[in-house]
Amino acid sequence: MLSAFLKKKKKDLFLYAMRLHDDQLEDISARFQAEMKKGLSAESNAAAAVKMLPTHVRSTPDGSERGQFLALDLGGSKFKVLQVKVREGMGIRKGGVEMEEKIYPIPKELLIGRGTELFDHVSESLKDFLQEKNINLEKTHPLAFTFSFPCEQPTLNQGLLLSWSKNFRLRGLQGKDVVQSLKGAIERTGGMNVDVLSMVNDTVATMMTCGFDDQRCEVGLIIGTGTNACYMEALRHVDLVEGDEGQMCVNTEWGGFGDDGALNEYITEFDRDVDAASNNPGKQIFEKMVSGMYLGELVRLVVLKMAKVGLLFDGFVSDALRTKGKITTANVAAMEEYKTGLKNTRDILTGLGLTPSQDDCIAVQHVSTIVSFRSSNLVAACLSAILTRIKKNRSLRTLTITVGVDGTVYKTHPQYPKRLHKVVRRLLPESHVRFVLSDSGSSKGAALVAAVAQRLASRRKQVDETLFPFQMSQEQLHLVKSRMRADLEAGLKNKNPSTIKMLPSFVYHTPDGTERGKYLALDLGGTNFRALLVNFKKGLHQNTRLYHKIYTVPMEIMQGTGEELFDHLAQCVSDFLDYMGMKNAHLPAGFTFSFPCEQTAIDTGTLLTWTKGFKATDCEGHDVVNMLREAIKRRNEFDLDIAAVVNDTVGTMMSCAYEDPECEVGLIAGTGTNVCYMEDVRNIEKRDADAQRMCINTEWGGLGDDGSLNDIITPYDAEVDQNSLHPGKQRFEKLTSGMYLGEIVRQVLLDLTRGGLLFRGHVTEALKTPGIFETKYLSQIESDRLALLQVRSILQQLGLDSNCDDSIIVKEVCGAVSRRAAQLVGAGIAAVVDKIRENRGLEHLNITVGVDGALYKLHPHFSRVLHDTAKVLAPLCNVSFLPSEEGSGKGAALITAVMETKN
Ligand code: BG6
Ligand code: BG6
Ligand code: GLC
Ligand code: GLC
């Protein structure tokens, strides 16, 4: 007989490897941190033992969730069907949740049978529940699904099963979408209408359940049949999901920790035996050291071994003790009961056909304690790894956080929670960790996730509906092209003074390279007023020297009196001449004036009507060259010889034609939009020369002023038109140019906000401010290189306090509006180039369009969409686009040079 002392020593030796000291726990914690990193990284995820699965749950509850949901809870020790009603409250804790549930036992053979049979059982139980609770079978019911196995989720309502764990091992489902399988089963059962909105892991559902009452709950923990944890990770670390702002819940699937050998030093022979005899050998190593499905078995194997070597029951081993599953986790809990533990141990051992002595009972109780203590220690180590990670992510010195917990081990083992809490607090002395038991199970949380999903889906639908009218079909674009063509023709015949004016420019040739000398150019009508000095040397494409200065035109001048406006221009010119030291030079000048002017010669132009942001009095009906001359005279400081007045389109065409002789079209896509092109003189009624061609300033911005575009004009466009300086005018321009696109976007955002779909329904002063969305902001917001966080910061600059979802929607609205604009301009260009081709009786036309304007040059997608549309709508033309490098002023100077050379 061994002495009592030796026996005790030997018993301790057996259990030594299961006792974990704090430095070992810290080592395990560090290893788990490394595993988490591996799982999060896109490169190492495939080989990672800890899968770190993105869940698409981006926030914990905020109290605004509401709705009535069916719920299924599959994968814990009990399969349940539920009905959950969530009443909205203003903020956390104010809402309420009502639940009804029924547990449906799953026959053992179904757990290891075919997947479809299990799901048939699930869906038949669902139908039984609906009937029993008298729930309307006709109506469509949204459903929240808790499925407690590792699933890869491309979206919230898809889940590809990676592997079975715990006591489930079904055929035919691995790698498949379990939501589809569930839907298939529901269809097979028939007679009910169910919409599966979301699928979540039990850890996630637990975090959400507890998060409903405690906003700090950002970790979900299960210590039940299996074990697992989830937590809110910074999205920028979740490589597998696009986006870098905000958070996403990650289901760690920590049960797999150790599957790659990371825990080998801590694994005992008993763990190896449990693993070997399990459903899934080699898998879920950590889970098998920790969770309810295995704790009883670990105790049995230790006790069996001790009995076999004579340390217990005088070496007697009963059949029951040799049988798998005969000691359960419930037994372990009972043996560790505070007062009755020892008696319970005796009863349990006796029940196994043993005759234990008092010492045997104490020893077995001790085994049980060591096994369950190891479990809580291991959980504490990994949990502290998660909490340390969250703390680091947020750069916090102290972390205050709540962990939502569920699972039978945690709920029923008398010592487990206390031990766990104590060790976590010891490992993380500087953090405040609260543990909350999810006493209502996971379905409340699952329903909250479904409620958010439902709200997002309905928001998506409404946003899509709002933006639908901005989508142009090919048919509509063809129609726009043919309306443009018809109005170009009518304008030439002087038949439609109300829409496209087709103004002769008295420019008969593009440059030929003989232009020489120094010229002044003045440029009014884009974003700014510009004064330039251009020096043409040598031949075409050669050495043009250019000096310029930009002046802003204040709004009060744009909309003041004509005299004030032209005095301001004269003052800017005076400043420029001073700057150049050329006050006395008496230079010939060209004047780019970017508004519709009726010309009878190259150096006269009667303003027909103001457009864009100008509305100075006493100008319409007057010759703008005269007005500028008068202003210069009034100033009596310098002299200018204004030899030509040209539209910016014409200036742009000329400037680009200096580089490329095929350039016979000038396009502006900037503050306003317009096109000019070389028309055959025989088609022009108002002509005064024998030349073959003349450049026509179309003023195409007026298309639609007679109502011809009404079928594509949305209520938002109508609002923008009504609030504009020139209501009813320039309808095409108002759909396509920089001055208006931001306003259209603002009108859509206002509408979406009023409908509660944006900015939490908050219509702010900023949003009510006309003009806040300048073209440059649209361009920035739509840039693909900008992360959402940057979009948000632009919106913040504009006084719009957006969250991540808002930023996505704002970007979409901008995209819809600018895309339509580019397509419409593309359709217009197609009409123009096709007309030129037909004029010349060509099967095929090669032509270059010279382009200027901030929208074309700065917007990230506008030019591409415009090119693509023109290509599709004018398949017989090969159109190249040449951005003007030095603005239209150079073109005006070229025209002046031609005039001067002629004189
Ligand atoms: C329940 C949850 O309360 O706990 C389930 O509703 C979860 O979703 C389960 O799977 C985990 O514990 P156990 O012990 O049943 O596996
Ligand atoms: C400039 C031209 O480059 O582009 C102007 O010189 C023209 O004449 C302008 O009006 C158009 O662009 P925006 O974006 O300033 O309206
Ligand atoms: C298993 C499952 C996991 C689940 C856990 C608790 O580990 O793989 O998804 O969360 O059990 O039920
Ligand atoms: C407006 C003007 C037009 C000009 C265009 C681009 O449409 O009416 O003349 O070309 O804006 O600036």
Side-chain angles (χ1 to χ4, degrees), residues 58-77:
R58 289 168 189 267
S59 59
T60 50
D62 68 1
S64 66
E65 299 81 5
R66 68 195 150 95
Q68 189 166 329
F69 305 89
L70 293 174
L72 295 173
D73 183 355
L74 179 67
S77 53

PDB file of all heavy atoms in Angstrom, residues 58-77:
ATOM      1  N   ARG A  58     -22.482  45.893 -37.567  1.00  0.00           N
ATOM      2  CA  ARG A  58     -21.581  47.041 -37.471  1.00  0.00           C
ATOM      3  C   ARG A  58     -21.782  47.878 -36.223  1.00  0.00           C
ATOM      4  O   ARG A  58     -21.016  48.786 -35.948  1.00  0.00           O
ATOM      5  CB  ARG A  58     -21.747  47.937 -38.706  1.00  0.00           C
ATOM      6  CG  ARG A  58     -21.183  47.304 -39.953  1.00  0.00           C
ATOM      7  CD  ARG A  58     -21.613  48.063 -41.188  1.00  0.00           C
ATOM      8  NE  ARG A  58     -21.256  47.333 -42.390  1.00  0.00           N
ATOM      9  CZ  ARG A  58     -20.122  47.521 -43.058  1.00  0.00           C
ATOM     10  NH1 ARG A  58     -19.261  48.408 -42.673  1.00  0.00           N
ATOM     11  NH2 ARG A  58     -19.872  46.803 -44.140  1.00  0.00           N
ATOM     12  N   SER A  59     -22.889  47.626 -35.514  1.00  0.00           N
ATOM     13  CA  SER A  59     -23.058  48.420 -34.298  1.00  0.00           C
ATOM     14  C   SER A  59     -23.840  47.634 -33.271  1.00  0.00           C
ATOM     15  O   SER A  59     -24.599  46.725 -33.620  1.00  0.00           O
ATOM     16  CB  SER A  59     -23.780  49.725 -34.619  1.00  0.00           C
ATOM     17  OG  SER A  59     -25.030  49.414 -35.190  1.00  0.00           O
ATOM     18  N   THR A  60     -23.647  47.984 -32.024  1.00  0.00           N
ATOM     19  CA  THR A  60     -24.437  47.380 -30.954  1.00  0.00           C
ATOM     20  C   THR A  60     -25.773  48.144 -30.890  1.00  0.00           C
ATOM     21  O   THR A  60     -25.900  49.200 -31.512  1.00  0.00           O
ATOM     22  CB  THR A  60     -23.655  47.442 -29.633  1.00  0.00           C
ATOM     23  OG1 THR A  60     -23.204  48.769 -29.443  1.00  0.00           O
ATOM     24  CG2 THR A  60     -22.448  46.514 -29.675  1.00  0.00           C
ATOM     25  N   PRO A  61     -26.775  47.636 -30.184  1.00  0.00           N
ATOM     26  CA  PRO A  61     -28.099  48.291 -30.245  1.00  0.00           C
ATOM     27  C   PRO A  61     -28.064  49.746 -29.778  1.00  0.00           C
ATOM     28  O   PRO A  61     -27.276  50.099 -28.903  1.00  0.00           O
ATOM     29  CB  PRO A  61     -28.936  47.446 -29.271  1.00  0.00           C
ATOM     30  CG  PRO A  61     -28.218  46.155 -29.149  1.00  0.00           C
ATOM     31  CD  PRO A  61     -26.774  46.440 -29.345  1.00  0.00           C
ATOM     32  N   ASP A  62     -28.904  50.579 -30.411  1.00  0.00           N
ATOM     33  CA  ASP A  62     -28.971  51.974 -29.957  1.00  0.00           C
ATOM     34  C   ASP A  62     -30.363  52.360 -29.506  1.00  0.00           C
ATOM     35  O   ASP A  62     -30.649  53.515 -29.247  1.00  0.00           O
ATOM     36  CB  ASP A  62     -28.462  52.916 -31.055  1.00  0.00           C
ATOM     37  CG  ASP A  62     -29.386  52.959 -32.266  1.00  0.00           C
ATOM     38  OD1 ASP A  62     -30.431  52.273 -32.243  1.00  0.00           O
ATOM     39  OD2 ASP A  62     -29.067  53.672 -33.223  1.00  0.00           O
ATOM     40  N   GLY A  63     -31.244  51.395 -29.433  1.00  0.00           N
ATOM     41  CA  GLY A  63     -32.580  51.670 -28.905  1.00  0.00           C
ATOM     42  C   GLY A  63     -33.582  52.044 -29.985  1.00  0.00           C
ATOM     43  O   GLY A  63     -34.761  52.198 -29.706  1.00  0.00           O
ATOM     44  N   SER A  64     -33.115  52.201 -31.223  1.00  0.00           N
ATOM     45  CA  SER A  64     -34.056  52.600 -32.279  1.00  0.00           C
ATOM     46  C   SER A  64     -34.586  51.379 -33.033  1.00  0.00           C
ATOM     47  O   SER A  64     -35.366  51.521 -33.968  1.00  0.00           O
ATOM     48  CB  SER A  64     -33.362  53.555 -33.249  1.00  0.00           C
ATOM     49  OG  SER A  64     -32.327  52.873 -33.929  1.00  0.00           O
ATOM     50  N   GLU A  65     -34.172  50.189 -32.626  1.00  0.00           N
ATOM     51  CA  GLU A  65     -34.606  48.979 -33.324  1.00  0.00           C
ATOM     52  C   GLU A  65     -36.065  48.683 -32.980  1.00  0.00           C
ATOM     53  O   GLU A  65     -36.488  48.892 -31.845  1.00  0.00           O
ATOM     54  CB  GLU A  65     -33.752  47.776 -32.898  1.00  0.00           C
ATOM     55  CG  GLU A  65     -32.276  47.893 -33.200  1.00  0.00           C
ATOM     56  CD  GLU A  65     -31.502  48.721 -32.187  1.00  0.00           C
ATOM     57  OE1 GLU A  65     -32.093  49.136 -31.166  1.00  0.00           O
ATOM     58  OE2 GLU A  65     -30.310  48.958 -32.426  1.00  0.00           O
ATOM     59  N   ARG A  66     -36.786  48.229 -34.004  1.00  0.00           N
ATOM     60  CA  ARG A  66     -38.159  47.832 -33.708  1.00  0.00           C
ATOM     61  C   ARG A  66     -38.650  46.810 -34.721  1.00  0.00           C
ATOM     62  O   ARG A  66     -38.037  46.619 -35.777  1.00  0.00           O
ATOM     63  CB  ARG A  66     -39.093  49.032 -33.686  1.00  0.00           C
ATOM     64  CG  ARG A  66     -39.295  49.674 -35.019  1.00  0.00           C
ATOM     65  CD  ARG A  66     -39.923  51.023 -34.814  1.00  0.00           C
ATOM     66  NE  ARG A  66     -39.525  51.925 -35.851  1.00  0.00           N
ATOM     67  CZ  ARG A  66     -40.222  52.163 -36.945  1.00  0.00           C
ATOM     68  NH1 ARG A  66     -41.372  51.559 -37.131  1.00  0.00           N
ATOM     69  NH2 ARG A  66     -39.799  52.994 -37.856  1.00  0.00           N
ATOM     70  N   GLY A  67     -39.760  46.180 -34.392  1.00  0.00           N
ATOM     71  CA  GLY A  67     -40.348  45.214 -35.321  1.00  0.00           C
ATOM     72  C   GLY A  67     -40.706  43.915 -34.618  1.00  0.00           C
ATOM     73  O   GLY A  67     -40.447  43.722 -33.428  1.00  0.00           O
ATOM     74  N   GLN A  68     -41.331  43.056 -35.393  1.00  0.00           N
ATOM     75  CA  GLN A  68     -41.785  41.772 -34.848  1.00  0.00           C
ATOM     76  C   GLN A  68     -41.133  40.682 -35.686  1.00  0.00           C
ATOM     77  O   GLN A  68     -41.239  40.702 -36.913  1.00  0.00           O
ATOM     78  CB  GLN A  68     -43.298  41.714 -34.991  1.00  0.00           C
ATOM     79  CG  GLN A  68     -43.903  40.549 -34.287  1.00  0.00           C
ATOM     80  CD  GLN A  68     -45.413  40.726 -34.161  1.00  0.00           C
ATOM     81  OE1 GLN A  68     -45.894  41.841 -34.054  1.00  0.00           O
ATOM     82  NE2 GLN A  68     -46.131  39.637 -34.178  1.00  0.00           N
ATOM     83  N   PHE A  69     -40.460  39.768 -35.034  1.00  0.00           N
ATOM     84  CA  PHE A  69     -39.662  38.785 -35.764  1.00  0.00           C
ATOM     85  C   PHE A  69     -39.882  37.375 -35.250  1.00  0.00           C
ATOM     86  O   PHE A  69     -40.125  37.177 -34.065  1.00  0.00           O
ATOM     87  CB  PHE A  69     -38.167  39.110 -35.616  1.00  0.00           C
ATOM     88  CG  PHE A  69     -37.823  40.499 -36.035  1.00  0.00           C
ATOM     89  CD1 PHE A  69     -37.868  41.546 -35.111  1.00  0.00           C
ATOM     90  CD2 PHE A  69     -37.512  40.788 -37.354  1.00  0.00           C
ATOM     91  CE1 PHE A  69     -37.589  42.848 -35.499  1.00  0.00           C
ATOM     92  CE2 PHE A  69     -37.231  42.080 -37.755  1.00  0.00           C
ATOM     93  CZ  PHE A  69     -37.273  43.115 -36.829  1.00  0.00           C
ATOM     94  N   LEU A  70     -39.770  36.430 -36.171  1.00  0.00           N
ATOM     95  CA  LEU A  70     -39.647  35.042 -35.749  1.00  0.00           C
ATOM     96  C   LEU A  70     -38.163  34.799 -35.546  1.00  0.00           C
ATOM     97  O   LEU A  70     -37.335  35.456 -36.167  1.00  0.00           O
ATOM     98  CB  LEU A  70     -40.154  34.115 -36.844  1.00  0.00           C
ATOM     99  CG  LEU A  70     -41.658  34.192 -37.120  1.00  0.00           C
ATOM    100  CD1 LEU A  70     -41.991  33.337 -38.330  1.00  0.00           C
ATOM    101  CD2 LEU A  70     -42.449  33.734 -35.903  1.00  0.00           C
ATOM    102  N   ALA A  71     -37.834  33.855 -34.655  1.00  0.00           N
ATOM    103  CA  ALA A  71     -36.419  33.573 -34.454  1.00  0.00           C
ATOM    104  C   ALA A  71     -36.204  32.077 -34.303  1.00  0.00           C
ATOM    105  O   ALA A  71     -37.065  31.367 -33.770  1.00  0.00           O
ATOM    106  CB  ALA A  71     -35.910  34.311 -33.216  1.00  0.00           C
ATOM    107  N   LEU A  72     -35.066  31.634 -34.831  1.00  0.00           N
ATOM    108  CA  LEU A  72     -34.664  30.235 -34.651  1.00  0.00           C
ATOM    109  C   LEU A  72     -33.317  30.260 -33.949  1.00  0.00           C
ATOM    110  O   LEU A  72     -32.455  31.059 -34.287  1.00  0.00           O
ATOM    111  CB  LEU A  72     -34.496  29.543 -36.005  1.00  0.00           C
ATOM    112  CG  LEU A  72     -35.741  29.386 -36.869  1.00  0.00           C
ATOM    113  CD1 LEU A  72     -35.358  28.841 -38.237  1.00  0.00           C
ATOM    114  CD2 LEU A  72     -36.739  28.452 -36.186  1.00  0.00           C
ATOM    115  N   ASP A  73     -33.149  29.379 -32.980  1.00  0.00           N
ATOM    116  CA  ASP A  73     -31.905  29.340 -32.213  1.00  0.00           C
ATOM    117  C   ASP A  73     -31.392  27.906 -32.275  1.00  0.00           C
ATOM    118  O   ASP A  73     -31.856  27.023 -31.553  1.00  0.00           O
ATOM    119  CB  ASP A  73     -32.233  29.788 -30.776  1.00  0.00           C
ATOM    120  CG  ASP A  73     -31.004  29.859 -29.893  1.00  0.00           C
ATOM    121  OD1 ASP A  73     -29.911  29.484 -30.347  1.00  0.00           O
ATOM    122  OD2 ASP A  73     -31.153  30.309 -28.731  1.00  0.00           O
ATOM    123  N   LEU A  74     -30.425  27.686 -33.165  1.00  0.00           N
ATOM    124  CA  LEU A  74     -29.965  26.320 -33.427  1.00  0.00           C
ATOM    125  C   LEU A  74     -28.467  26.209 -33.187  1.00  0.00           C
ATOM    126  O   LEU A  74     -27.694  27.017 -33.710  1.00  0.00           O
ATOM    127  CB  LEU A  74     -30.268  25.949 -34.889  1.00  0.00           C
ATOM    128  CG  LEU A  74     -29.829  24.567 -35.367  1.00  0.00           C
ATOM    129  CD1 LEU A  74     -30.621  23.465 -34.669  1.00  0.00           C
ATOM    130  CD2 LEU A  74     -29.981  24.440 -36.879  1.00  0.00           C
ATOM    131  N   GLY A  75     -28.086  25.212 -32.362  1.00  0.00           N
ATOM    132  CA  GLY A  75     -26.652  24.966 -32.186  1.00  0.00           C
ATOM    133  C   GLY A  75     -26.204  24.938 -30.741  1.00  0.00           C
ATOM    134  O   GLY A  75     -25.115  24.469 -30.436  1.00  0.00           O
ATOM    135  N   GLY A  76     -27.025  25.446 -29.841  1.00  0.00           N
ATOM    136  CA  GLY A  76     -26.714  25.324 -28.412  1.00  0.00           C
ATOM    137  C   GLY A  76     -27.269  23.992 -27.919  1.00  0.00           C
ATOM    138  O   GLY A  76     -27.571  23.097 -28.718  1.00  0.00           O
ATOM    139  N   SER A  77     -27.430  23.870 -26.596  1.00  0.00           N
ATOM    140  CA  SER A  77     -27.924  22.586 -26.091  1.00  0.00           C
ATOM    141  C   SER A  77     -29.407  22.401 -26.404  1.00  0.00           C
ATOM    142  O   SER A  77     -29.912  21.290 -26.393  1.00  0.00           O
ATOM    143  CB  SER A  77     -27.662  22.484 -24.595  1.00  0.00           C
ATOM    144  OG  SER A  77     -28.182  23.624 -23.954  1.00  0.00           O
TER     145      SER A  77
END
